[in-house]
Amino acid sequence: MEGKKKYALVTGGSRGIGKAVCIALAKDLGYPILVNYRSDSESAEETKDIIVANGGEAEVLQFDVSNQIETNLQLITWREQHPTGVIEVIVNNAGITRDGLFMWMEKDDWKKVIDTSLNGFYNVTKPLIQDLLRHRYGRIINIASISGVKGTSGQANYSAAKAGLIGATKALAQEVARRNITVNAVAPGFIQTDMTSGLDESELKKLIPLNRFGTVEEVADLVCFLASKKASYITGEVININGGVYS
Ligand SMILES: NC(=O)c1ccc[n+]([C@@H]2O[C@H](COP(=O)([O-])OP(=O)(O)OC[C@H]3O[C@@H](n4cnc5c(N)ncnc54)[C@H](OP(=O)(O)O)[C@@H]3O)[C@@H](O)[C@H]2O)c1
């Protein structure tokens, strides 16, 4: 694997946290970026254009992380088209919410959230892990949530998916550490994105010691650090980034 061109893949890189992570990984660490998205091709192209305008390299890669067949096919095709490339950084960021009290929660809302955040981690990471093991270096960063750490009322599905992702992070970290691959989770609190745009920030910020929602750039800086050589001895960790909120 010596001499291979090294790439970073960010799922859900078209908007929000994922977009900021794509831009930061290209700018700060110089990775060519694979910008994954599900449906919003315009935003994905915009992420790519920003990276290129900053002097970086990027390509967009459309697949739905919750669809194992589609994800597998796209990643295997990418590999065949890039025989001299290796995806050495994987940021499992794609996630959705379908909030509601458990009592009223439909099976579909439970399933879609688990399929995206938790099964998406499996669907994306599984086809890439063997290459990483052979490469003897890698960074896997899973975007979890404060909900997966403490549980959030009205988000039993999302809390379960993110808690599951944290468990998988800790287990996989132990399995691959000998090959110099680190696996960590980042657990954001309230971050200003489309996902939280319906929330009343002026009310909710009273619950946050730092008295504001976080920015996508703040999360991206943390992900960049974990993706860098500077974080070589950190693995199996869950790093909270929430402005001081603890239950
Ligand atoms: N915002 C917060 O306060 C917060 C807090 C804690 C954790 N998080 C987590 O951080 C991650 C990013 O959240 P965000 O706030 O940036 O969300 P967002 O603004 O809603 O963006 C979500 C991104 O994920 C993509 N995506 C969704 N489902 C997908 C799928 N099945 N396959 C591929 N891509 C998919 C979307 O792509 P398309 O646009 O193409 O659909 C979009 O790029 C999520 O995992 C979320 O749970 C967010």
Side-chain angles (χ1 to χ4, degrees), residues 130-170:
Q130 263 184 331
D131 275 355
L132 274 190
L133 289 166
R134 261 186 246 121
H135 184 52
R136 292 180 175 271
Y137 179 85
R139 296 280 187 263
I140 300 171
I141 298 147
N142 298 323
I143 309 300
S145 166
I146 189 171
S147 299
V149 177
K150 74 167 197 66
T152 297
S153 164
Q155 289 194 317
N157 49 357
Y158 185 75
S159 303
K162 296 300 191 178
L165 186 59
I166 288 171
T169 301
K170 292 178 178 178

Side-chain angles (χ1 to χ4, degrees), residues 33-215:
I33 308 293
L34 308 183
V35 182
N36 160 256
Y37 71 101
R38 179 190 47 184
S39 53
D40 189 348
S41 62
E42 208 174 301
S43 298
E45 290 293 339
E46 194 185 294
T47 305
K48 175 184 157 185
D49 290 346
I50 295 170
I51 293 168
V52 172
N54 288 341
E57 218 185 299
E59 52 189 288
V60 298
L61 210 51
Q62 192 279 329
F63 57 84
D64 177 343
V65 300
S66 69
N67 182 328
Q68 189 191 4
I69 294 167
E70 187 180 312
T71 302
N72 212 31
L73 182 67
Q74 288 302 321
L75 291 173
I76 284 169
T77 304
W78 183 90
R79 225 162 99 222
E80 284 169 3
Q81 290 169 347
H82 299 76
T84 59
V86 61
I87 298 172
E88 85 172 12
V89 175
I90 306 167
V91 182
N92 288 299
N93 165 77
I96 56 166
T97 51
R98 293 284 184 276
D99 295 352
L101 289 178
F102 184 74
M103 188 178 166
W104 309 113
M105 189 170 287
E106 298 291 344
K107 177 72 192 284
D108 192 53
D109 291 333
W110 175 268
K111 191 173 176 314
K112 282 217 164 74
V113 169
I114 304 276
D115 277 349
T116 306
S117 281
L118 185 55
N119 295 337
F121 157 79
Y122 175 86
N123 296 340
V124 171
T125 311
K126 180 67 172 47
L128 301 175
I129 195 75
Q130 263 184 331
D131 275 355
L132 274 190
L133 289 166
R134 261 186 246 121
H135 184 52
R136 292 180 175 271
Y137 179 85
R139 296 280 187 263
I140 300 171
I141 298 147
N142 298 323
I143 309 300
S145 166
I146 189 171
S147 299
V149 177
K150 74 167 197 66
T152 297
S153 164
Q155 289 194 317
N157 49 357
Y158 185 75
S159 303
K162 296 300 191 178
L165 186 59
I166 288 171
T169 301
K170 292 178 178 178
L172 183 60
Q174 295 172 58
E175 291 183 21
V176 298
R178 293 236 165 120
R179 296 291 180 108
N180 222 9
I181 300 164
T182 65
V183 190
N184 290 292
V186 166
F190 292 112
I191 308 298
Q192 280 168 340
T193 68
D194 292 344
M195 189 179 270
T196 53
S197 60
L199 302 178
D200 184 350
E201 181 171 349
S202 59
E203 265 309 304
L204 286 167
K205 73 180 187 181
K206 293 175 190 159
L207 307 171
I208 305 168
L210 277 171
N211 202 37
R212 62 175 177 85
F213 280 13
T215 67

